[in-house]
């Protein structure tokens, strides 16, 4: 299922500053084939839901290597069948 | 990746009352092998993230058969490696 | 604005186990006048959005007293004008 | 409580295309004093949680004038006490 998603990954238990971990997450997402753009509260990603879930798992595995034992995720997404709509289309439609 | 998740599925564009659609979603979730319990704002589900994503896709496919062209989802989940923790464990730990 | 909400509060930076903090959150929510029920991934709450936000702030203040410097929240809610619908009504409509 | 938030507003029951409604939401957010930037899946907003909730209510009221009877919202936010961090700071810290 093709979706436009907003993924937020929260490393728990490693202090209030998580930017070193988010940089690792960003590197994994950037290295993937998925269209993605990070914003201050997460990353917008376009693609198959299964690919996005796999990406979330890769990020969790990398965080575990760095000592993060617990990770909290929010994944908000939508699908539509009446027409194809990219992330860029969504923004264009409202501006 | 084993997760404890909270899945909310919002049928868009089919009027303010969506309970007939939510009943169909409930039937699909109940028929799955996943441990799940519906609550007033979503369904708590325990299992592999990939299985939960597949379940979300099945729900979307059924909604499409019923005429729902666009579906909005929220999926909030967490994973942990320091210990196994079921949904029941989570509730017990705080009561 | 009257809403049915699902509030999840994630204490960051205090180790993977957060149940002592969640117990404090539960005590604050239970002491409030709002109709609320905790579930494995959050707390369903019914009431004015402004009251729910105030409750989230009280929880954050208590967590700060306990040494939590950073808190992540998800608040999912819906409002409707075509009819009044409680959390119990929502569940009844789909069972 | 000062927060960095990601607000997503989903008009329900008015067809799969919601861009006319999202344009109205954007106008209300732009007219507010809050620092905000729309992205493909929501709007990042920085400010007092109570002001952001008030903004969500204003959007709901405008949608009601346009005939939207039911609105679904996701509001994801975080607060921190160890240091002040703007949305721009968050992005800079990970790039």
């Amino acid at each position: 299922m093709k979706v436009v998603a907003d993924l937020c990954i929260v490393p728990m238990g490693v202090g209030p500053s998580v930017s070193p971990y988010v940089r690792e997450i960003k590197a994994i997402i950037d290295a993937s084939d998925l269209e993605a753009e990070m914003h201050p509260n997460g990353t917008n990603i376009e693609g198959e839901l299964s690919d996005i879930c796999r990406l979330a798992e890769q990020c969790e595995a990398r965080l575990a290597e760095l000592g993060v034992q617990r990770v909290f995720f929010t994944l908000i997404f939508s699908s539509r069948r009446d027409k194809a709509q990219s992330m860029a289309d969504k923004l264009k439609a409202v501006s």
Side-chain angles (χ1 to χ4, degrees), chain A residues 26-81:
Chain A
K26 187 173 187 308
I28 290 170
I29 294 174
D30 286 349
S32 82
D33 289 336
L34 296 168
E35 173 91 12
E37 188 162 10
M38 192 169 272
H39 62 80
N41 289 301
T43 302
N44 289 309
I45 312 179
E46 198 177 312
E48 287 293 319
L49 178 61
S50 54
D51 290 337
I52 295 170
C53 285
R54 202 150 27 232
L55 196 61
E57 299 204 23
Q58 286 170 22
C59 292
E60 189 276 342
R62 179 68 185 124
L63 291 177
E65 286 173 1
L66 300 171
V68 183
Q69 301 278 335
R70 191 171 191 180
V71 186
F72 184 87
F73 303 77
T74 65
L75 181 62
I76 291 175
F77 55 102
S78 63
S79 64
R80 63 189 304 177
R81 292 181 177 239

Side-chain angles (χ1 to χ4, degrees), chain A residues 4 7-8 79 94:
Chain A
V4 172
L7 174 65
C8 177
S79 64
V94 299

